[in-house]
């Protein structure tokens, strides 16, 4: 392994161009390294990318070479890998997916025995083993691990997430965008099992069309086809949900969390009256929570950090603007479980989504990405931080500024929220220019 590679894991697993960065050799080594601290079994799922079966095969082989048994879940949502890891007593779960990225990319995500993403320390330990090539067990013959297939993995997952669901969805109509990805079987099955009428879109994967002009990153595709129904847009691995209301307007993760928080608080089910979100959450979300007496805790970007804070604070609701929502089991983002929670709110309240969403007014948000030579220099750039402070004073309580380095690219992200789009754009443009001058 090239010594120049310092970190393999980003904010959401190992991810990059398939067979270029995320190669079968890397997947094999990651599995061997992860298997060194596991006695199995390990469950492995994937999305619909052309490279998925190639990388999954390498993972199975890597675990098997160090004596760990593996279970193939096939094409399945990432939430199912998390769920089934817990249910069958697996030591690890692995998902082969690059989530919302294009089909050319792929990645590897690991989950612990509780169904949560591995901690930074655990990921770092795997990286160290991969990079050092530290001695692998020399097993042979009957000592190697074996592979098996869980043919009914989708059905078992759906059975688990529907257990305890109290509402009959008979006659309710949904338009569902599966992003030509991992939700193609599980999402329609879950909703139809409850009696819902479901029309499915983007559910014909060919290995190359995952997330292509559809899904959670392109909600306008479903908005044009929902025809007054509630729309549910998943991404490639189905850990995100962006909804479409009856008027065809997009409902992002912030708005969904606001709907859920109000619903749970009204029923005295919002533990400790708090919600956990990230620094990217819209200012309108904070103001909406303030109005109903709910405290907002913010974390760095990444649902793993939301999860850690939820566990620390004993929160039952958290998530990201992008549509990653974490619910009461505090394990992992699961877009299909989020969709069921939304269906429960609509059904039990008898209110349409376009009405429910009125509890939160989003502030206009402008995000600019600035290419820089050294993103690490941001922290010591005195001029940038002086300008940021000036902008914050100008916006006062009616706006917000966030300037941060990208976790995966040589970029500085400048995000500004304000009372109007023009003001947000003006401030963002000014700060981006300063960043470019100082760091570009």
């Amino acid at each position: 392994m090239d010594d120049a590679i310092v970190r393999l894991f980003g904010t959401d697993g190992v991810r990059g161009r398939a067979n270029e960065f995320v190669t079968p050799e890397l997947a094999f080594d990651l599995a061997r390294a992860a298997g060194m601290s596991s006695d199995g079994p390990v469950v492995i799922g994937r999305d619909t990318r052309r490279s998925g079966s190639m990388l999954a095969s390498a993972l199975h082989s890597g675990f098997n070479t160090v004596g760990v048994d593996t279970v193939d879940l096939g094409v399945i949502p990432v939430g199912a890998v998390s769920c089934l890891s817990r249910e069958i007593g697996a030591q690890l779960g692995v998902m082969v997916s690059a989530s919302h990225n294009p089909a050319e990319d792929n990645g590897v995500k690991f989950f612990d025995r509780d169904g949560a993403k591995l901690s930074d320390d655990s990921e770092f330990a795997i990286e160290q083993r991969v990079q050092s090539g530290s001695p692998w067990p020399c097993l042979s013959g009957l000592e190697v691990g074996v592979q098996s297939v869980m043919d009914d993995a989708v059905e078992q997952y759906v059975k688990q997430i529907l257990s305890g669901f109290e509402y009959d969805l008979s006659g309710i109509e949904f338009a569902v965008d599966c992003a030509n990805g991992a939700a193609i079987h599980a999402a329609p099955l879950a909703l139809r099992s409850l009696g819902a009428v479901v029309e499915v879109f983007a559910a014909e994967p060919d290995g190359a069309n995952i997330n292509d002009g559809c899904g959670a990153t392109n909600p306008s595709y479903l908005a044009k086809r929902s025809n007054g129904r509630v729309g549910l847009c998943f991404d490639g691995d189905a850990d995100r949900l962006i909804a479409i209301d009856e008027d065809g307007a997009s409902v992002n993760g912030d708005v969904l969390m606001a709907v859920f928080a109000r619903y749970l608080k009204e029923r005295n089910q919002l533990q400790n009256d708090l919600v956990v979100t990230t620094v990217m959450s819209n200012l309108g979300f904070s103001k909406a929570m303030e109005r109903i007496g709910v405290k907002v805790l913010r974390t760095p970007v990444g649902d793993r950090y939301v999860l850690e804070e939820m566990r620390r604070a004993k929160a039952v609701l958290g998530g990201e603007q992008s549509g990653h929502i974490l619910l009461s089991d505090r394990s992992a983002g699961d877009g299909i479980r989020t969709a069921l929670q939304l269906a429960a709110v609509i059904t039990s309240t008898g209110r349409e989504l376009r009405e429910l969403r009125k509890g939160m007014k989003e502030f206009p948000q402008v995000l600019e990405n600035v290419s820089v030579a050294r993103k690490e220099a941001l922290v010591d750039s005195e001029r940038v931080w002086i300008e940021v402070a000036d902008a914050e004073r100008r916006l006062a309580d009616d706006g917000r500024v966030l300037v941060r380095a990208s976790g995966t690219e040589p970029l500085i992200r400048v995000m500004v929220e304000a009372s109007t789009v023009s003001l947000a754009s003006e401030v963002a443009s000014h700060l981006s220019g300063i960043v470019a001058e100082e760091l570009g």
Side-chain angles (χ1 to χ4, degrees):
M1 181 72 57
D2 187 345
D3 291 338
I5 297 177
V6 177
R7 295 304 309 262
L8 297 173
F9 288 86
T11 55
D12 197 19
V14 178
R15 189 180 300 181
R17 184 61 63 98
N19 212 34
E20 183 175 307
F21 176 68
V22 185
T23 62
E25 293 82 3
L26 176 59
F28 183 84
D29 284 345
L30 287 167
R32 285 199 298 181
M36 290 282 287
S37 58
S38 170
D39 55 5
V42 173
V43 296
I44 300 176
R46 60 184 173 88
D47 66 22
T48 58
R49 293 164 207 270
R50 184 183 181 94
S51 58
S53 57
M54 173 185 75
L55 295 172
S57 295
L59 287 163
H60 282 284
S61 296
F63 281 113
N64 296 159
T65 62
V66 294
V68 176
D69 294 342
T70 55
V71 181
D72 183 16
L73 303 180
V75 172
I76 202 162
V78 68
V81 174
S82 170
C83 173
L84 295 175
S85 296
R86 296 192 305 270
E87 293 305 316
I88 71 172
Q91 297 299 302
L92 286 172
V94 188
M95 181 69 178
V96 180
S97 176
S99 192
H100 59 280
N101 283 30
E104 294 83 1
D105 292 344
N106 217 326
V108 180
K109 303 179 187 181
F110 289 94
F111 298 86
D112 64 22
R113 67 182 68 190
D114 295 323
K117 290 178 182 176
L118 294 187
S119 67
D120 287 344
D121 289 344
S122 295
E123 289 183 343
F124 184 68
I126 292 173
E127 288 178 344
Q128 291 292 95
R129 293 190 201 111
V130 169
Q131 293 182 18
S132 67
S134 58
W136 312 111
C138 296
L139 305 181
S140 62
L142 300 181
E143 296 176 309
V144 301
V146 297
Q147 300 177 25
S148 61
V149 177
M150 190 174 183
D151 292 316
D152 63 345
V154 170
E155 291 78 8
Q156 288 299 319
Y157 159 65
V158 170
K159 179 180 177 181
Q160 289 297 326
I161 62 174
L162 294 187
S163 62
F165 190 84
E166 304 173 11
Y167 302 100
D168 182 359
L169 304 184
S170 295
I172 299 178
E173 296 186 12
F174 292 97
V176 177
D177 178 351
C178 294
N180 292 311
I184 54 173
H185 304 304
L189 176 61
L191 292 165
R192 287 169 177 159
S193 296
L194 296 167
V197 177
V198 179
E199 184 175 5
V200 182
F201 299 89
E204 297 181 356
D206 60 11
N209 61 358
I210 189 170
N211 300 315
D212 186 10
C214 56
T217 54
N218 298 278
S220 61
Y221 169 82
L222 189 63
K224 296 173 183 176
R225 296 162 173 81
S226 54
N227 293 327
R229 298 166 292 184
V230 171
L232 305 171
C233 306
F234 302 101
D235 65 340
D237 62 354
D239 63 350
R240 298 184 182 194
L241 174 73
I242 300 296
I244 304 296
D245 71 15
E246 295 84 356
D247 293 327
S250 178
V251 181
N252 66 25
D254 283 344
V255 181
L256 288 172
M257 282 191 292
V259 170
F260 295 164
R262 178 181 292 274
Y263 174 81
L264 293 172
K265 182 172 174 59
E266 289 173 349
R267 287 155 180 77
N268 296 315
Q269 296 173 357
L270 189 65
Q271 190 169 341
N272 297 325
D273 282 343
L274 60 85
V275 178
V276 180
T277 187
T278 75
V279 292
M280 292 299 292
S281 183
N282 193 276
L283 179 61
F285 177 76
S286 296
K287 290 186 175 293
M289 294 300 96
E290 183 180 339
R291 287 193 295 272
I292 63 172
V294 172
K295 182 179 180 181
V296 177
L297 303 180
R298 291 183 182 267
T299 74
V301 173
D303 60 341
R304 76 171 64 235
Y305 304 115
V306 174
L307 171 61
E308 290 172 1
E309 184 63 17
M310 285 177 67
R311 289 181 166 179
R312 186 199 66 79
K314 295 182 172 57
V316 296
L317 177 62
E320 297 185 279
Q321 186 183 67
S322 60
H324 286 123
I325 307 294
L326 289 90
L327 301 170
S328 56
D329 68 348
R330 306 185 186 106
S331 57
D334 184 339
I336 298 176
R337 286 191 64 212
T338 304
L340 293 174
Q341 177 71 20
L342 178 60
V345 174
I346 293 171
T347 304
S348 65
T349 62
R351 299 167 67 190
E352 294 184 321
L353 180 54
R354 59 186 160 197
E355 180 185 356
L356 291 166
R357 69 173 302 168
K358 291 179 180 178
M360 175 185 158
K361 179 182 178 182
E362 294 179 83
F363 275 57
Q365 185 180 85
V366 173
L367 176 64
E368 296 193 7
N369 295 317
V370 185
S371 297
V372 295
R374 287 185 62 250
K375 62 184 180 182
E376 298 82 5
L378 173 65
V379 68
D380 296 319
S381 180
E382 183 177 355
R383 184 183 173 206
V384 170
W385 297 118
I386 288 173
E387 293 288 345
V388 167
D390 285 345
E392 290 175 332
R393 282 191 290 271
R394 178 183 177 188
L395 296 172
D397 292 336
D398 290 324
R400 190 166 68 97
V401 176
L402 177 65
V403 178
R404 67 179 184 92
S406 166
T408 57
E409 301 172 271
L411 299 173
I412 300 299
R413 305 196 192 280
V414 178
M415 188 275 287
V416 178
E417 292 170 348
S419 55
T420 65
V421 174
S422 59
L423 178 57
S425 298
E426 177 191 336
V427 174
S429 178
H430 173 72
L431 291 176
S432 295
I434 299 299
V435 169
E437 290 174 12
E438 292 297 302
L439 306 178

